[in-house]
Amino acid sequence: MNVSYRWLSEYIDLSGIEPQKLTEMMTRGGIEIDSVPSRNAGVSNVVVGYVKTREKHPDADKLSVVTVDAGTGEDLQIVCGAPNIAAGQKVPVAKVGAKLPGIEIKKAKLRGVESQGMICSARELGINDKLLPKEQQEGILVLPSETEIGRDILDVLALSDHILELDLTPNRSDCLSMLGVAYEVSALTGRSLRLPDPGQDLYAAADKTSDHISVRITATENCSLYTARYIKGVKVGPSPLWMQNRLIAAGVRPINNIVDITNYVMLEYGQPLHAFDAKKIAEGRIDVRLAKPGEALVTLDDQERKLEPHMLVIADGEKALGLAGVMGGANSEVTEDTTDIVLESAKFDGGTIRRTSRQLGLRSEASARFEKEVDPSRVREALDRAAGLMAKYAEGLVTEGIAEAETASFEPAVVRLSLDRVNGMLGTSLSSLEAETILTRLQFAAVSAGNDVWDVTVPTRRGDMTRDVDLIEEVARLHGYDEIPTTLIEGASTAGSLTKPQAIRRELRTLLTNAGLQEAISYSVTSAQRTGLFPALSGEDVKPIALAMPMSEERSVLRTTILPSLMEAAAYNLTRKNNDIALFEIASVYHSDEEALTRLPQEKPRLALLLAGSRRAAGWNRPAETVDFYDAKGLLETAFRRLGIEARISYEAAQPEGFHPGRTAAIKLETERGAETIGYVGQLHPELQREFDLPDTFAAELSLAPVYEYADNRIEYKPLPRYPAMERDIAVVVDRGVSGGALTAAIEASAGELLESVRVFDVYTGDRVAADKKSVALALVYRHAERTLTDDEVTAAHGNVLARLEQSFAAELRK
């Protein structure tokens, strides 16, 4: 919101408060101001001149020699190159010695003709000419014919002004108007306001508004109040220069007196208005309704908008006339031929306007205000104010009465506030009188309820005031944040700490990055095709959750697995010659079993990792080593060991869709409910690798929710062993389908408490064993914590092991 200091001073006395000081006061009061630029870009000694004559330059086709009366008593001869210069115009004249932005005007000769000054364009005066009417953007600036000759151009164009650029937070929509800012400054300074006359005594026409127009609200949930006035016999033309100056200062381009008045009142009251050409409204009926299926509207920017049934429109008996609260339609636009006006002022639902504006990519000054909710008490006031200005500056005749429809009433909020709560929350010792004075400055009516408690009636212009803490904040900022003393915190305090899931995620990130992986942060949205790549990870019954407004087809649904995102990242890196990929991501996936959501989807935490390329680059003394299944599995084992659940984890051969059928394992976690599959680790299916242009790629994805439940990452310290261990190695011949994990599990179950560890150190298949057999070599370590073992004890335990292997797997001891 750009606020003109000069315009603001019409509503409140700012004498003694310079723009910079006002900026400091407002910023300290909670309304941040980004900058306070001056409208005068360095202009001096420029006055209004009257072009008496214009003649062609004798030696230049594109130059003119003009005689100008600048109010000095002597005519000035000026050489001008502007194509639109003409006798009889009032123009800005920079006399000799004048200064323009970057220029000082001196006497000069142009092609042999003396020039005693310069006739200026808007751009040369430092004005943003893009905000001027198109005919004023090229050539010199032509002033209204009634402009006084010799008057300083700084006064004529209101350039002796500063613009306060307010950076408003969403809750302070009341300051999206000059009156709202004036209320704010009044509260900060304690000075009284001078509010404009809304112009209720306007009736110059003998007939009534109801004779010409009727209003109905069909979409009762989307519009609570719609009002209209009928104004006859308007003359469309330029608006007064003072009004144009104020609009330009606010960053709004003047168009004509009708449109400018609606914009002026919107800036003044914060209430958007719209003017329709009355003759283009069929049957004199206005209906506020939702758009019909397939309905379209050409808006004032000459763009055809395809409307949807949730969009609110203003319509007559035949067609839509405008997008309510966003932009009017070209089919009811005010033109030079317009004579009768229907002037609209309404209270539309902010959510409806916001959704329409965003979906159409059409944001306007009106929508910016409606979507933050306008003050319902100003709807009729702004309507009357605009009608009065049209009567004055467009010679319109305002018919008696207002055509209106209302579906909801608005009452000011009443909030109970106690002095004890104010002082308790702020740490102050304000008296009852001080608190009441602040509320009075805010123009909040406070009625005593006894014992320093008030029932505070909040004006509807401050819709952000709904609770006592909101009022306490107002007291704090008007009392002055710098005046609030430092006080000790009272009450019970809780030491901050990470939750168990947060601590586990941090531990996993540290462990995996230390292992050489890089963390990826990918989109949570993907394509519907990608969600079907790993059904075992997402779940067979899971339905993709579609976005209402997707960025693209590739980002149209919430992801159900993380691996496709990592595969896209890997493919992106490989095409850029980054051939060694080691990525992981800890993020959420989103599951629902509904096609059309009626309840919130489930958000499930996941860990995924992906490896491709070399584990170790080739060197002069060693070949390159490519990653394999055991790199991915080893990373998971390291993580499970650090989280204290290694003993609960087992792996089982699996063939889930999307993974290689012979190089994949299901990750199982032993829980109180039994062994549960929490994820998969393995090589991607060759077809997927070809689709993504990936080499042999190994990946894993697992659910973190059960890990959170059973993880125990407390470190348990054990003393170093004092007694020696005894090692026994065995090699057994078993069927090829028997896994090493099954053998080690059987050994641990049968060896008893003397067994310290067991591991597989060799697997052999070849000529020395049958084609359907393999030889598995295992190393067993026996130890007792409190004494030295005897050969007999170890032999007995080892005998149990061999018997168990023979019984369970038909294992034969290999000689």
Side-chain angles (χ1 to χ4, degrees), residues 703-740:
S703 175
L704 288 177
V707 174
Y708 294 159
E709 183 179 356
Y710 289 95
D712 184 0
N713 59 353
R714 292 175 296 178
I715 299 175
E716 293 185 6
Y717 294 93
K718 297 180 180 178
L720 292 173
R722 298 175 58 190
Y723 298 96
M726 296 183 70
E727 299 181 6
R728 297 285 177 93
D729 294 346
I730 59 173
V732 292
V733 178
V734 295
D735 292 339
R736 286 202 176 191
V738 176
S739 67

Side-chain angles (χ1 to χ4, degrees), residues 234 236 255-259 274-278 280 300 329-330 332-342:
V234 298
V236 179
I255 297 176
N256 57 51
N257 51 359
I258 301 301
V259 176
H274 186 70
F276 299 96
D277 186 327
K280 299 175 182 178
L300 290 174
S332 58
E333 180 181 9
V334 172
T335 66
E336 294 179 355
D337 300 326
T338 298
T339 57
D340 297 344
I341 295 291
V342 172

Side-chain angles (χ1 to χ4, degrees), residues 163-216:
I163 305 300
L164 282 65
E165 297 181 355
L166 275 58
D167 186 4
L168 297 173
T169 51
N171 64 309
R172 291 308 305 271
S173 59
D174 59 299
C175 287
L176 285 172
S177 67
M178 295 299 299
L179 290 180
V181 176
Y183 274 108
E184 176 69 15
V185 175
S186 172
L188 292 170
T189 61
R191 299 185 180 185
S192 58
L193 287 172
R194 298 188 293 265
L195 299 179
D197 180 5
Q200 293 178 345
D201 299 328
L202 310 170
Y203 315 123
D207 45 355
K208 297 181 179 181
T209 300
S210 57
D211 297 335
H212 301 275
I213 197 80
S214 63
V215 171
R216 181 178 68 173

Side-chain angles (χ1 to χ4, degrees), residues 388-408:
L389 292 173
M390 288 182 185
K392 185 173 183 180
Y393 296 107
E395 302 181 26
L397 302 176
V398 183
T399 58
E400 184 177 355
I402 296 176
E404 64 180 20
E406 187 172 11
T407 63

Side-chain angles (χ1 to χ4, degrees), residues 633-773:
K633 181 171 177 283
L635 287 168
L636 294 177
E637 288 176 336
T638 303
F640 294 144
R641 187 181 307 115
R642 182 66 189 89
L643 297 177
I645 56 173
E646 183 184 22
R648 290 180 175 269
I649 296 293
S650 61
Y651 301 89
E652 184 178 287
Q655 297 183 6
E657 186 177 337
F659 285 93
H660 193 294
R663 300 176 184 175
T664 304
I667 306 167
K668 292 187 171 290
L669 175 67
E670 190 65 35
T671 71
E672 295 174 356
R673 301 172 293 275
E676 296 181 2
T677 300
I678 63 172
Y680 295 90
V681 56
Q683 183 179 340
L684 297 181
H685 196 283
E687 291 182 0
L688 267 185
Q689 292 178 170
R690 284 193 293 272
E691 180 182 339
F692 282 82
D693 290 328
L694 298 175
D696 285 351
T697 302
F698 298 87
E701 182 170 330
L702 65 146
S703 175
L704 288 177
V707 174
Y708 294 159
E709 183 179 356
Y710 289 95
D712 184 0
N713 59 353
R714 292 175 296 178
I715 299 175
E716 293 185 6
Y717 294 93
K718 297 180 180 178
L720 292 173
R722 298 175 58 190
Y723 298 96
M726 296 183 70
E727 299 181 6
R728 297 285 177 93
D729 294 346
I730 59 173
V732 292
V733 178
V734 295
D735 292 339
R736 286 202 176 191
V738 176
S739 67
L743 292 174
T744 57
I747 291 172
E748 289 171 349
S750 60
E753 62 178 11
L754 298 183
L755 182 69
E756 182 177 80
S757 65
V758 58
R759 65 182 179 87
V760 177
F761 68 88
D762 185 48
V763 177
Y764 171 75
T765 57
D767 296 338
R768 297 184 181 182
V769 297
D772 60 344
K773 301 287 185 179

Side-chain angles (χ1 to χ4, degrees), residues 52-72:
K52 301 176 73 174
T53 64
R54 174 187 181 269
E55 297 178 357
K56 184 179 175 297
H57 192 288
D59 294 324
D61 293 338
K62 295 185 178 181
L63 297 180
S64 302
V65 180
V66 298
T67 304
V68 178
D69 177 6
T72 60

